[in-house]
Amino acid sequence: MVGSDGAVYAFGGAAYLGNAALGAAPAVDIEATPSGNGYWILDSAGKVYPFGDAAHLAAADTSHLAAGESFTSLSATPTGNGYWLFTTRGRALPVGDATFHGDMSAVPLNGPVFDSIPTPSGNGYYMVASDGGIFSFGDAVFYGSMGGKPLNAPVQSLVPDPDCKGYWLVASDGGVFSFEAVFRGSMASVKLNKPVNGMVPFGNGYLMVAADGGIFNFSNLPFFGSLGNNPPKNPIVAVTVLDV
């Protein structure tokens, strides 16, 4: 997990490789390298901090960002020699061997884009906005969305089904929406101490992370721990999973 202050917390077999020495911008995402021997941390200004075997790549060109636009997520290419950076306006900025497949930066959105996920081939990607809208590019297949439908809480994250033929969305209240993917469970009926702000693939399902570091496991893999009983001073903003 990574906190907004750049602090990293490791569980199970995940190696701790360092915290990000941030500037004024908070951390917003952490992404493991394909080997699992490193990770990148992204801050809201678009600066990337590599650790372990994470590639040190050129900085993204942020000169075209609109007023108030900030970065929200990083998605790595299959080689680990590149990644895409995504913003609240649905802008996709390719770095290294990442290829641009289109984005939403010229389209008015009903809510900010909070998360992204690449396809296994690296030839496409999805974005998800807070209203549950899904935007697919390249070889990413659209299976439906919550766009235009009533929500109890904003959507935070998107996770692909392991068979790559569907996906799940999670909202900040822990509610999960399934599209061509088997529903594995949710936290929608449970009173949470802090809102859910991320979800990642895990085994045949998914892990959710809350701002207090609580982890909610809906999969066939074991639980490796959380910070839920000992919340950090700064909120947890993202979680990543190694190949397990």
Side-chain angles (χ1 to χ4, degrees):
M1 305 179 198
V2 67
S4 62
D5 59 348
V8 172
Y9 306 87
F11 299 87
Y16 169 77
L17 300 169
N19 295 334
L22 302 174
V28 293
D29 200 11
I30 184 170
E31 175 80 9
T33 61
S35 71
N37 295 318
Y39 48 81
W40 295 275
I41 294 173
L42 171 69
D43 73 19
S44 64
K47 185 173 181 180
V48 177
Y49 302 81
F51 296 88
D53 68 353
H56 293 245
L57 301 170
D61 179 8
T62 61
S63 61
H64 300 295
L65 267 63
E69 185 176 4
S70 62
F71 288 84
T72 57
S73 64
L74 181 156
S75 292
T77 64
T79 66
N81 294 319
Y83 44 71
W84 296 271
L85 305 183
F86 297 86
T87 74
T88 50
R89 290 281 295 268
R91 192 183 308 273
L93 298 179
V95 179
D97 67 0
T99 301
F100 180 73
H101 298 290
D103 67 18
M104 299 299 292
S105 59
V107 180
L109 301 177
N110 293 324
V113 167
F114 280 157
D115 198 16
S116 63
I117 194 80
T119 59
S121 69
N123 294 321
Y125 41 76
Y126 295 95
M127 303 181 206
V128 62
S130 63
D131 68 338
I134 295 290
F135 312 112
S136 53
F137 299 90
D139 64 357
V141 178
F142 178 76
Y143 293 102
S145 79
M146 293 301 294
K149 301 175 183 177
L151 296 171
N152 294 325
V155 170
Q156 299 291 316
S157 195
L158 162 79
V159 165
D161 189 305
D163 67 6
C164 301
K165 295 180 180 179
Y167 40 72
W168 299 279
L169 312 183
V170 68
S172 61
D173 65 352
V176 172
F177 310 98
S178 301
F179 296 90
E180 298 298 324
V182 176
F183 177 74
R184 301 293 182 191
S186 81
M187 297 298 292
S189 62
V190 180
K191 182 175 175 56
L192 302 175
N193 293 325
K194 294 292 181 179
V196 167
N197 55 19
M199 184 165 71
V200 289
F202 197 58
N204 67 351
Y206 37 85
L207 284 181
M208 302 179 201
V209 64
D212 63 351
I215 290 286
F216 310 109
N217 181 8
F218 296 92
S219 78
N220 60 339
L221 294 180
F223 174 73
F224 291 111
S226 79
L227 295 172
N229 292 327
N230 186 28
K233 177 181 178 181
N234 294 283
I236 296 297
V237 295
V239 64
T240 191
V241 173
L242 307 186
D243 187 16
V244 292

